[in-house]
Amino acid sequence: MDIDWKSLPFGYIKTDYNVRTYFRDGKWGSLELSSSEHVDIHIAATSLHYGQEAFEGMKAFMGKDGKIRLFRWEENAKRMQMSARGILMAEVPIEVFKKAILKVVRMNKRFVPPYGSGASLYIRPVLFGTGAEVGVKPADEYLFMVFVTPVGPYFKEGFRPVKMLLTKEFDRAAPQGTGRFKVGGNYAASLTSMKKAHEKGFANVLFLDSKEKKYIDECGPANFFGIKNNTYITPKSDSILPSITNMSLITLAEDMGLKTERRPVEESELGTFEEVGACGTAAVISPIGQIVDDETGKEFNYGTEPGPISTKLYNKLIAIQTGDEEDKFGWVEVVE
Ligand SMILES: *Cc1c(COP(=O)(O)O)cnc(C)c1O
């Protein structure tokens, strides 16, 4: 195998194994190891027709000490349970989730990118309805599987400010809908807006709340935050996916002596922030250099370099994930 770790894309590369377990007759079966990249499911599976599907995304990092580390996997396990409850799927027990991710990482050790390459092993757990139904109802059978793929940094340019398109033309999720669950349907709903943003030269879309079009919601498939007056501020809304990266940045910000606020953030407040960014597992932080309102052409500018606080938070989180810095919050698990 000859992988050029330094120029890995953020995309799919075949590895040796994935793991699977089926929920049938009301219980989860044993964990199976597979070397196939395919699944064979019923043509009437509820995931195909009614979108009964949820996923997770996390990363494993190689440390300087040659140890592989997972970051806050238990939060992903709990969030997947919440997503499952949200669209009436069988919940994957925390222990089953843990066994699955540890197994798939151990079995694909040779695909964990080396320390210092900026790359990592992306872990993708997926849960979906496999039971056949034609009427609209939840399936009685589910498949939980986990595959991994080595990925390079999300943005090839690295930690550089990106441009975001603020638009009232599209919604990602309804106020009391599925926005707070990590389900595929939310992503399908965001593809047209993302395409439009890309066509206009933007990294992604900044969504406003779909009811009043007044408050900042999410930033493409990432959470939004702004910094001003030594305060880290992130929007609060029922349609936002609770990002584990955001949750961790809030803790780190407090630890650095910043104040933190999770509250509704009006669009009109955008002009008052000193730094803004998007956060999520894929990029950790994407600093935002500019936001343009699609309708009015109004621009908000935050500079051509990442802000000092965003940079500090970014470096700190990555140092904990890779094991460069002490993990005083108990976020990291070494894969033995
Ligand atoms: C996964 C996801 C995020 C980021 O969550 P992390 O746990 O930080 O990776 C943010 N927004 C949406 C819509 C997501 O699906």
Side-chain angles (χ1 to χ4, degrees):
M1 183 186 61
D2 229 358
I3 296 180
D4 179 5
W5 301 111
K6 290 242 185 244
S7 55
L8 265 182
F10 193 90
Y12 178 82
I13 287 176
K14 186 183 188 305
T15 60
D16 291 336
Y17 299 101
N18 55 82
V19 295
R20 305 155 182 220
T21 172
Y22 294 87
F23 183 86
R24 292 187 185 117
D25 303 319
K27 57 181 189 299
W28 288 99
S30 57
L31 193 66
E32 298 167 13
L33 189 65
S34 172
S35 55
S36 165
E37 289 174 281
H38 298 269
V39 286
D40 187 15
I41 64 170
H42 196 282
I43 55 173
T46 61
S47 50
L48 297 178
H49 302 264
Y50 304 129
Q52 259 200 315
E53 185 271 350
F55 66 96
E56 276 301 328
M58 53 215 284
K59 284 175 173 175
F61 304 86
M62 182 64 77
K64 212 186 279 180
D65 55 5
K67 288 183 179 155
I68 302 168
R69 287 172 174 80
L70 298 174
F71 183 70
R72 306 193 80 172
W73 65 265
E74 203 163 347
E75 296 299 331
N76 293 88
K78 287 192 281 190
R79 190 168 66 189
M80 183 168 246
Q81 291 189 327
M82 185 180 78
S83 298
R85 286 194 294 276
I87 57 170
L88 298 185
M89 298 194 290
E91 284 177 43
V92 178
I94 305 282
E95 276 312 304
V96 173
F97 188 97
K98 179 180 186 181
K99 223 172 121 183
I101 57 169
L102 286 176
K103 177 117 189 161
V104 74
V105 171
R106 282 187 191 118
M107 295 304 293
N108 291 291
K109 263 189 181 152
R110 66 190 188 101
F111 293 96
V112 182
Y115 173 80
S117 61
S120 56
L121 187 72
Y122 187 76
I123 307 170
R124 172 50 60 87
V126 198
L127 169 66
F128 56 96
T130 48
E133 297 290 351
V134 174
V136 179
K137 61 174 138 168
D140 52 6
E141 293 188 358
Y142 295 85
L143 169 57
F144 171 59
M145 63 179 195
V146 189
F147 69 79
V148 293
T149 189
V151 292
Y154 194 65
F155 292 109
K156 280 188 296 295
E157 321 75 57
F159 187 64
R160 302 292 315 160
V162 297
K163 285 172 28 171
M164 292 288 168
L165 182 68
L166 188 146
T167 174
K168 298 190 173 80
E169 197 184 338
F170 302 94
D171 294 316
R172 187 188 73 93
Q176 301 302 320
T178 55
R180 63 190 190 280
F181 309 125
K182 208 168 177 77
V183 297
N186 294 340
Y187 279 73
S190 72
L191 291 177
T192 4
S193 60
M194 193 174 82
K195 178 163 175 261
K196 178 171 170 176
H198 288 173
E199 281 168 1
K200 293 190 159 199
F202 292 85
N204 220 317
V205 166
L206 186 57
F207 292 105
L208 293 175
D209 77 282
S210 30
K211 193 173 173 186
E212 297 182 68
K213 301 277 183 186
K214 187 172 160 192
Y215 302 99
I216 307 296
D217 208 68
E218 287 221 55
C219 200
N223 277 188
F224 175 88
F225 68 87
I227 292 166
K228 62 176 174 187
N229 308 328
N230 206 38
T231 310
Y232 179 101
I233 301 159
T234 192
K236 182 180 163 78
S237 129
D238 283 342
S239 53
I240 291 179
L241 191 283
S243 153
I244 296 160
T245 311
N246 197 6
M247 192 163 88
S248 309
L249 292 174
I250 289 172
T251 303
L252 292 180
E254 279 169 1
D255 197 53
M256 285 174 189
L258 271 78
K259 291 193 283 285
T260 61
E261 294 174 6
R262 201 192 276 274
R263 57 163 171 82
V265 176
E266 280 192 30
E267 178 193 346
S268 60
E269 199 178 336
L270 281 179
T272 68
F273 290 118
E274 295 150 17
E275 299 178 32
V276 296
C279 62
T281 295
V284 181
I285 289 178
S286 308
I288 298 172
Q290 185 185 54
I291 299 170
V292 178
D293 187 323
D294 192 27
E295 215 173 62
T296 62
K298 187 173 159 74
E299 288 180 13
F300 302 93
N301 290 296
Y302 305 96
T304 51
E305 293 298 320
I309 295 175
S310 303
T311 305
K312 214 169 144 189
L313 286 168
Y314 175 83
N315 288 332
K316 183 85 184 174
L317 189 56
I318 288 185
I320 295 174
Q321 288 177 330
T322 54
D324 278 355
E325 272 196 40
E326 183 207 354
D327 165 35
K328 69 173 180 181
F329 305 103
W331 286 345
V332 164
E333 175 144 345
V334 171
V335 180
E336 301 291 355

